[in-house]
Amino acid sequence: MRYILCADFGSTYTKLTAIDMQDLRTLGTSAAYTTVQTNILDGYANALDKLEKDIGRLDYDKRLAASSAAGGLKMIAVGLVPRLTSNAAKLAASSAGAKLIATYSYDLSDAELAEIFDYKPDMILLSGGIDGGNKDVILNNAEKIARIECSFPVVVAGNKSAADEVARILESGGKEAVITENVMPELNKLNIESAKAAIRELFIRRIIDAKGLAEANAMMSLEIIPTPLAVFNACEALSDFGTLTAVDVGGATTDVYSMADGLPENSAVIEKGLREPFAKRSIEGDLGVRYSIDSLIKEAGIERIAAASGASPEDVIEHSRKCAQDTSAVFPPGSTDAKIDNALAGECVRISMNRHAGRLETVYTNMGEVQIQTGKDLTKTKYLFGTGGSVINSDAPEDIMAKALYSKADYDILKPENPKIIIDRNNILTAMGLLTRVDKKSALSIMKKELMNKEDM
């Protein structure tokens, strides 16, 4: 095996990376507009033509691909208690590479059912109840989901005592039901691998056809997987070098990955709630510098963005209008628009990390002051990786990524304090995540060579 071609069918661009497996290096990369509206292989052919002009025509031994085209894998998680089974379902969906568009808890209301219908999800993950525990809520929610008049499969990952009956209810409503192990078989105990595998299998078997990727899938050596899952795989592999956090800033979403146990650094701190997994992904669907720019500005505050960019609030509003009209807009380095873009990307990083990292709360009891941690303590994270077009194409990527660091302004949020910041300048994380599927050792060698200097190790 000498040459491997990795493809990433994105919502805006189709990106290719050629890999030399003998010399363990990337030979070149290219990108072209994704042509999902016509034939997705047109964009692939355009990107391949650009690549061949740079490195020549090669005979590839394997072709591997990931996709987030047409909005990626849109998924909804339904659970019982927000901080327990709903959160477990959310972690399972996110780690499988899905774009989690909504999470619901307790009995679904009529208004929530209407929302689900409007969302037209590709898939629902239905959980609820520990094994042998509450069955009523998951059975009730199954009956309601079965009545929704649109087609999608349902992964059943709740109380095993109710699983067969839940599947029968869903199938009676014309829904495909796939039973997996409970995402929370015991209180505060996560078990997401079975659900994650089922989501990936459904993506391969059903969603590829729905997204118009069947022809592209037939060309590949292995089945196409969701792009976030490929990045997740790359980050998991990189954790061999030490704990890390990675932030992927895009036009529509911002994804955060953390590879760390996240246990309290201070032995006096008490953990509360669900202990999160070593490998965690969160996705923020309202944080993006193009498609989600309006919600990003609303969340960050227009005055904050103006101050960070040195622009006026009116400039920020005008920038938002330009981006809404042309989601592929690229601005000259140093221009006011480029500075606003940097500020927007920085806010994506700051807000998404605030949501992803754990928190420390001081509680006063009869025994005195007690500190309680919920979520993961990432303060001692060794590496911080920045990727995504908004970061790697910026003239100040390190400044953008610095927004992920611990700050006194957010003193209770356990973000990285002093990590080594590494920028994925050649946008290879997705390709390396794909390569781990066939040769993890070689993927690690290439990432070590092309991402990390010797002094970083």
Side-chain angles (χ1 to χ4, degrees):
M1 187 167 61
R2 177 69 191 267
Y3 299 118
I4 291 180
L5 183 65
C6 294
D8 177 13
F9 297 100
S11 295
T12 306
Y13 291 98
T14 292
K15 299 169 282 287
L16 301 183
T17 302
I19 302 169
D20 185 335
M21 295 296 289
Q22 181 171 302
D23 295 337
L24 293 179
R25 65 188 180 100
T26 58
L27 294 170
T29 61
S30 67
Y33 284 111
T34 297
T35 49
V36 71
Q37 294 84 1
T38 54
N39 187 320
I40 202 163
L41 288 180
D42 292 340
Y44 174 86
N46 294 336
L48 185 59
D49 183 59
K50 290 182 180 180
L51 185 63
E52 289 179 345
K53 286 179 180 177
D54 288 338
I55 66 172
R57 182 169 296 183
L58 300 175
D59 183 15
Y60 293 103
D61 297 290
K62 287 187 182 294
R63 287 177 171 81
L64 308 171
S67 174
S68 58
L73 176 60
K74 297 187 298 181
M75 193 162 183
I76 286 173
V78 180
L80 176 53
V81 180
R83 287 196 172 186
L84 295 175
T85 53
S86 291
N87 195 26
K90 181 178 178 180
L91 288 167
S94 296
S95 66
K99 179 181 179 180
L100 200 62
I101 55 177
T103 304
Y104 299 100
S105 305
Y106 306 119
D107 287 321
L108 289 168
S109 68
D110 290 340
E112 289 170 334
L113 291 175
E115 285 180 2
I116 294 173
F117 175 81
D118 290 338
Y119 280 131
K120 299 291 190 296
D122 294 312
M123 198 181 303
I124 286 181
L125 177 59
L126 177 59
S127 65
I130 62 173
D131 286 343
N134 183 292
K135 294 194 296 184
D136 295 339
V137 172
I138 193 171
L139 290 170
N140 184 52
N141 284 338
E143 291 175 357
K144 292 180 177 180
I145 291 170
R147 297 200 302 266
I148 299 175
E149 294 182 351
C150 54
S151 178
F152 49 75
V154 181
V155 176
V156 181
N159 185 347
K160 69 178 183 180
S161 302
D164 290 334
E165 188 175 354
V166 167
R168 285 194 294 271
I169 291 169
L170 292 167
E171 289 165 355
S172 70
K175 305 289 188 292
E176 178 183 1
V178 177
I179 298 175
T180 73
E181 296 174 9
N182 193 346
V183 292
M184 184 175 286
E186 300 174 24
L187 195 63
N188 286 329
K189 180 181 178 181
L190 271 178
N191 176 38
I192 63 176
E193 289 305 315
S194 178
K196 179 179 174 181
I199 293 167
R200 179 180 172 276
E201 174 62 27
L202 282 171
F203 174 82
I204 293 168
R205 185 158 50 88
R206 291 188 48 137
I207 309 305
I208 283 175
D209 286 339
K211 301 295 185 183
L213 293 163
E215 191 176 353
N217 192 52
M219 294 174 53
M220 301 301 155
S221 304
L222 297 174
E223 299 91 345
I224 294 175
I225 63 173
T227 299
L229 179 57
V231 179
F232 190 98
N233 291 344
C235 290
E236 271 197 307
L238 280 168
S239 68
D240 283 8
F241 299 134
T243 57
L244 66 91
T245 300
V247 185
D248 183 351
V249 182
T253 67
T254 297
D255 294 2
V256 183
Y257 305 80
S258 60
M259 304 293 150
D261 58 31
L263 300 178
E265 291 294 334
N266 186 336
S267 60
V269 172
I270 299 172
E271 285 187 278
K272 177 184 176 183
L274 186 65
R275 177 175 287 183
E276 295 178 344
F278 176 89
K280 174 189 173 184
R281 170 189 176 235
S282 60
I283 175 172
E284 307 303 338
D286 61 334
L287 303 179
V289 297
R290 291 294 182 268
Y291 298 98
S292 304
I293 191 169
D294 289 341
S295 57
L296 168 60
I297 291 174
K298 182 178 180 180
E299 176 71 15
I302 195 166
E303 296 292 344
R304 186 184 186 103
I305 295 166
S309 61
S312 68
E314 291 75 21
D315 289 332
V316 177
I317 293 171
E318 176 61 16
H319 178 85
S320 175
R321 185 192 64 79
K322 291 177 185 176
C323 293
Q325 288 183 338
D326 181 8
T327 55
S328 62
V330 177
F331 303 104
S335 66
T336 297
D337 283 304
K339 291 176 181 177
I340 295 172
D341 252 356
N342 287 346
L344 289 167
E347 284 303 292
C348 285
V349 171
R350 182 184 69 85
I351 298 168
S352 63
M353 275 300 301
N354 283 357
R355 296 175 182 178
H356 183 95
R359 289 178 179 266
L360 200 61
E361 177 186 8
T362 300
V363 177
Y364 298 93
T365 70
N366 293 333
M367 302 296 292
E369 184 179 292
V370 176
Q371 288 190 309
I372 296 176
Q373 175 183 320
T374 55
K376 298 173 78 170
D377 184 346
L378 301 176
T379 54
K380 302 306 179 185
T381 298
K382 187 175 182 180
Y383 302 111
L384 172 62
F385 288 85
T387 190
S390 299
V391 174
I392 65 178
N393 295 321
S394 167
D395 57 358
E398 286 83 5
D399 292 341
I400 291 173
M401 292 308 301
K403 298 293 184 180
L405 303 181
Y406 177 86
S407 86
K408 291 181 180 179
D410 301 313
Y411 66 90
D412 59 330
I413 304 177
L414 301 170
K415 297 188 291 186
E417 291 178 340
N418 189 33
K420 173 66 179 179
I421 296 177
I422 299 174
I423 307 300
D424 179 23
R425 297 183 188 279
N426 293 320
N427 200 24
I428 65 169
L429 279 181
T430 299
M432 293 302 103
L434 289 170
L435 185 57
T436 63
R437 303 180 69 195
V438 296
D439 192 337
K440 178 184 173 182
K441 184 178 179 181
S442 293
L444 272 171
S445 295
I446 294 171
M447 287 191 286
K448 181 178 179 180
K449 184 187 301 182
E450 301 196 12
L451 285 174
M452 309 171 80
N453 297 322
K454 288 183 179 178
E455 58 266 25
D456 296 333
M457 304 303 297

